Amino acid sequence: MHDDVEEGDRLRRTLRIVLTILGGLLVLSTALSIIRTDEPWIRMLDFPRLQLAVLGVVLMAAHLGAWRFKSRWATALLVMMGLAVAYQGYWIYPYTPLASREVPDSGQARTDGALSLLAANVLMDNRDSPALIELVKQHDPDVILVMEPDQWWETQLRVLEATHPHTVKEPLDNTYGMLLYSRLPLTDSEVRHLVEDDVPSVYTKVVLRSGQEVVLHCIHPKPPRPIRGDDTTPRDRELFIVAREVKGSDLPAVVIGDFNDVGWSRTTRRFQEISGLLDPRIGRGMYSTFPAQLPLLRFPLDHVFHANVFRLIELERLGSIGSDHFPILVELSYEPTSAGN
């Protein structure tokens, strides 16, 4: 019996040590994420805020059960974990159905002012092009943005030109290629390299069926990569360049692509502040798209932002196409008379 008691004590001590270490790491990672810096290993802490919040709740429950307020420093750690969970929740709250919707639903049936877009990061080495083609046939979007295509992908997707003859193409073998297909007319189209020579973006105007022109920016900046020492400066610069262009344009704009950033980061929030664009996910959900193979570690990296003259008809994360990203589909309704309401 004495041995059983000692063994039980050892297990409790071990559990308390493990919980203390994990709780300390939660508090530390949350504190580091407050620091304003371009260092990638700190900025990457913007990404798992949902995961850290959920982990924090679990740890608090386990911590409370293990200690039962029998230690002052353990109680202090519990309070700090609570503050960490609250801070993480502050950032992700807008991307839950509990928050107010930033973009109202459209009250109209589909009209000549409707615009549907499908954005898909295909993963360059993925060779399941039939999955993407079938998805296009199923949802029949007006505009298709393909990210990470190499020349193989460009060849395979030429079949899309039968229904989407207006194109802008820049296939590359560096995972930053870009293809744009549209059934609606495109004008003033150009491939641009806003920050880095090997990272293209697409600028074009889309002519809606009503005749209204809409500026479309398609972007896929490089992510911060701590192992390589790449900080967030190039990504942030590209987002802010596009934001300032949108602000200075007289035409309504849509910005779509893989931002390699989450919607709740300071950078993306600043992008919205400068551009004045709206995020249809706010008040609806996160629509996390990456990594497709790891449900518990997914983040919302693929985004669409739009001017306030649009209302939302549909927003959906689509099924797998063999990539590490899920495609995303959005359909907007141009309703300038309801802007600001």
Side-chain angles (χ1 to χ4, degrees):
M1 179 67 72
H2 181 69
D3 291 341
D4 290 343
V5 172
E6 287 187 348
E7 181 64 22
D9 289 341
R10 282 196 294 270
L11 288 174
R12 279 191 291 273
R13 284 196 298 270
T14 301
L15 176 61
R16 288 173 174 177
I17 291 171
V18 171
L19 290 175
T20 299
I21 292 173
L22 292 176
L25 289 174
L26 170 69
V27 172
L28 177 62
S29 61
T30 302
L32 288 173
S33 73
I34 299 174
I35 300 173
R36 294 180 179 272
T37 178
D38 290 333
E39 288 296 328
W41 64 276
I42 292 180
R43 293 294 298 278
M44 290 294 287
L45 294 172
D46 281 337
F47 286 51
R49 293 199 184 277
L50 172 62
Q51 289 81 359
L52 289 174
V54 172
L55 175 63
V57 171
V58 173
L59 285 176
M60 288 175 66
H63 193 83
L64 184 60
W67 286 99
R68 302 181 184 277
F69 297 108
K70 293 180 179 179
S71 166
R72 289 184 178 179
W73 67 264
T75 301
L77 179 58
L78 182 65
V79 171
M80 287 189 288
M81 284 194 289
L83 293 174
V85 169
Y87 183 77
Q88 302 291 359
Y90 162 78
W91 289 97
I92 62 176
Y93 170 77
Y95 295 87
T96 70
L98 300 174
S100 299
R101 293 181 174 183
E102 186 165 88
V103 179
D105 290 327
S106 174
Q108 302 181 6
R110 287 175 171 82
T111 66
D112 288 346
L115 172 65
S116 58
L117 307 101
L118 188 155
N121 183 320
V122 296
L123 182 64
M124 189 181 73
D125 295 330
N126 171 31
R127 291 301 182 242
D128 194 3
S129 59
L132 176 59
I133 294 169
E134 180 59 32
L135 208 63
V136 170
K137 290 180 180 178
Q138 179 182 350
H139 294 279
D140 196 28
D142 295 320
V143 177
I144 307 156
L145 171 62
V146 180
M147 293 164 284
E148 288 201 22
D150 56 10
Q151 188 56 55
W152 182 92
W153 273 98
E154 191 279 327
T155 301
Q156 298 300 310
L157 296 181
R158 288 176 188 173
V159 296
L160 299 179
E161 296 177 37
T163 54
H164 296 71
H166 309 283
T167 63
V168 184
K169 299 181 180 182
E170 183 79 354
L172 296 171
D173 60 3
N174 67 351
T175 74
Y176 292 97
M178 194 168 282
L179 304 173
L180 187 68
Y181 303 88
S182 176
R183 69 154 50 91
L184 301 175
L186 303 178
T187 64
D188 299 331
S189 303
E190 59 178 310
V191 174
R192 307 189 300 177
H193 301 84
L194 296 175
V195 176
E196 299 177 276
D197 292 340
D198 59 344
V199 180
S201 64
V202 171
Y203 168 91
T204 190
K205 295 175 184 174
V206 183
V207 183
L208 304 184
R209 296 170 185 83
S210 63
Q212 172 66 45
E213 285 189 321
V214 174
V215 171
L216 177 64
H217 294 266
C218 306
I219 61 175
H220 182 202
K222 286 183 178 179
R225 290 172 289 192
I227 295 177
R228 299 186 183 183
D230 296 340
D231 65 21
T232 61
T233 302
R235 181 198 65 189
D236 297 354
R237 280 185 60 199
E238 181 163 344
L239 292 178
F240 296 154
I241 288 171
V242 171
R244 286 189 286 269
E245 287 192 12
V246 167
K247 183 179 181 180
S249 175
D250 294 330
L251 292 174
V254 175
V255 180
I256 191 167
D258 174 1
F259 281 35
N260 276 312
D261 196 14
V262 286
W264 51 75
S265 77
R266 291 189 182 93
T267 296
T268 304
R269 287 189 173 188
R270 181 60 178 156
F271 166 85
Q272 276 198 268
E273 291 172 3
I274 296 172
S275 66
L277 299 182
L278 307 182
D279 185 345
R281 292 166 305 175
I282 290 180
R284 291 185 171 88
M286 295 184 182
Y287 298 86
S288 297
T289 55
F290 173 89
Q293 297 83 0
L294 299 173
L296 297 180
L297 294 177
R298 285 180 191 154
F299 315 116
L301 299 189
D302 298 272
H303 307 279
V304 57
F305 294 91
H306 59 77
N308 68 348
V309 293
F310 291 102
R311 293 294 175 262
L312 185 68
I313 297 174
E314 182 179 7
L315 178 63
E316 183 179 358
R317 187 188 69 189
L318 304 180
S320 174
I321 56 171
S323 172
D324 53 351
H325 287 247
F326 289 112
I328 195 162
L329 175 73
V330 62
E331 184 167 10
L332 305 172
S333 175
Y334 180 71
E335 301 176 18
T337 57
S338 62
N341 295 338

